[in-house]
Amino acid sequence: MNYKALLKSHTALVGAVITLLFVMAIIFWPVFSPWSSNGHDFLNVLKQPSFLHPFGTDSLGRDVATRVFEGAQISLLISLSGVITAMIIGVSIGLYAGYRGGYFDLIVMRVVDLFFGFPAFVLALFLMVALGFGVTNVSLAIMLVYFPIFARITRNTTEVVKNDHFVQAAKIMGQSTSRILFLEILPNISAPILVQASVAVAFGIVIESGLSFIGLGVQPPTASLGVIMADGQEYFRRAPWVMTLTGLVITALLLGLNLLGDGLRDLSDPRLKTRES
């Protein structure tokens, strides 16, 4: 990726800055915060945002800012692990299906179509009920939701480029199928995959937060964005800042990831590069 081009793309730059700021806050805030995410302080219950507690405190006197950024760390790691696994499986399946075609492609794509028959959150909800609660199962649910999308995108774009001259030249040179797929075809179809990855990470956080909010994901007292939102709902009228500020953090993080994905798409699309030149 050309860093000079990144600086010229306002969308990518804004998305990268927002995402970087939140990643730094997620990493360093819990480390340097004087408060523990599970440290009860019953003398400071439901305190409004202040210099000492920028996001206020909750019903147990815990610092909300520390819990939010530690929860965002957990939510982001769950989403990343699920999306990366989905991308590895989906891209591999899509490459072979699009390149080989025939009955293999037909069978694989029909299986993928079965997953598309359910809305993403409904499918994740069903999987959590079937698999049980916990961090590992939330990540697995996100993987099962998104691997069909990566498989479909990869298969369709592979079909477009598999007859191009550079692929035919690689065949004539005697390169193996795996080498052609991963070293020749994959770099040339990476733009839509990168965009989908950034969007999937963003909505993976939404899925994790939604599952944890209704009690099917990460379980208290472990902090996650959904757990904090569910806790804040119980006393929203007395302390609206808990849900409100947590929701704003989720919104800003999703905005940064989506803007970054759109910018990467523009920078990686060779057709846009040709227009600019």
Side-chain angles (χ1 to χ4, degrees):
M1 183 69 67
N2 190 331
Y3 292 103
K4 292 183 179 179
L6 178 63
L7 294 175
K8 292 180 182 179
S9 173
H10 298 298
T11 302
L13 184 59
V14 171
V17 169
I18 294 174
T19 303
L20 180 61
L21 288 175
F22 271 94
V23 169
M24 291 178 64
I26 288 169
I27 293 173
F28 294 111
W29 191 295
V31 175
F32 293 103
S33 173
W35 316 107
S36 170
S37 62
N38 286 315
H40 299 176
D41 184 1
F42 295 107
L43 297 178
N44 290 290
V45 171
L46 298 180
K47 292 292 184 179
Q48 295 183 4
S50 63
F51 179 77
L52 288 178
H53 300 283
F55 286 12
T57 63
D58 63 11
S59 60
L60 297 177
R62 297 172 296 190
D63 182 65
V64 176
T66 302
R67 285 182 60 77
V68 164
F69 288 112
E70 185 174 303
Q73 184 181 100
I74 294 172
S75 298
L76 182 59
L77 287 175
I78 291 173
S79 179
L80 276 173
S81 62
V83 170
I84 290 173
T85 307
M87 186 164 58
I88 293 172
I89 296 173
V91 168
S92 300
I93 291 174
L95 281 171
Y96 279 98
Y99 186 72
R100 291 187 178 277
Y103 285 109
F104 180 79
D105 175 41
L106 182 64
I107 295 171
V108 168
M109 287 302 105
R110 295 298 77 77
V111 173
V112 167
D113 288 342
L114 289 176
F115 285 89
F116 281 116
F118 301 90
F121 188 77
V122 174
L123 179 58
L125 185 63
F126 170 77
L127 292 171
M128 290 305 300
V129 172
L131 298 173
F133 309 151
V135 172
T136 302
N137 288 339
V138 174
S139 180
L140 181 59
I142 293 172
M143 182 275 291
L144 291 173
V145 165
Y146 283 105
F147 98 85
I149 299 176
F150 284 109
R152 174 65 70 180
I153 291 173
T154 306
R155 179 260 188 184
N156 290 346
T157 49
T158 299
E159 276 200 325
V160 173
V161 304
K162 70 177 182 180
N163 294 320
D164 285 357
H165 296 301
F166 67 92
V167 178
Q168 300 304 317
K171 289 181 181 179
I172 294 172
M173 294 173 62
Q175 294 186 14
S176 65
T177 300
S178 296
R179 184 177 179 84
I180 292 173
L181 292 178
F182 292 99
L183 297 183
E184 300 292 342
I185 294 178
L186 182 57
N188 286 278
I189 63 171
S190 60
I193 296 173
L194 288 173
V195 175
Q196 183 57 52
S198 65
V199 173
V201 170
F203 283 96
I205 294 173
V206 174
I207 290 175
E208 184 282 322
S209 299
L211 291 173
S212 298
F213 182 80
I214 61 177
L216 296 178
V218 178
Q219 299 298 302
T222 303
S224 83
L225 295 175
V227 170
I228 298 169
M229 293 279 284
D231 187 47
Q233 182 190 31
E234 298 180 5
Y235 43 84
F236 178 75
R237 291 188 177 182
R238 293 181 58 196
W241 54 84
V242 177
M243 280 194 73
T244 303
L245 295 176
T246 305
L248 288 175
V249 168
I250 295 174
T251 302
L253 182 55
L254 298 186
L255 175 65
L257 287 169
N258 283 316
L259 289 176
L260 180 60
D262 289 342
L264 289 176
R265 178 200 59 196
D266 295 341
L267 293 173
S268 303
D269 195 331
R271 292 173 297 180
L272 294 178
K273 293 179 182 179
T274 303
R275 291 175 191 170
E276 292 178 357
S277 59

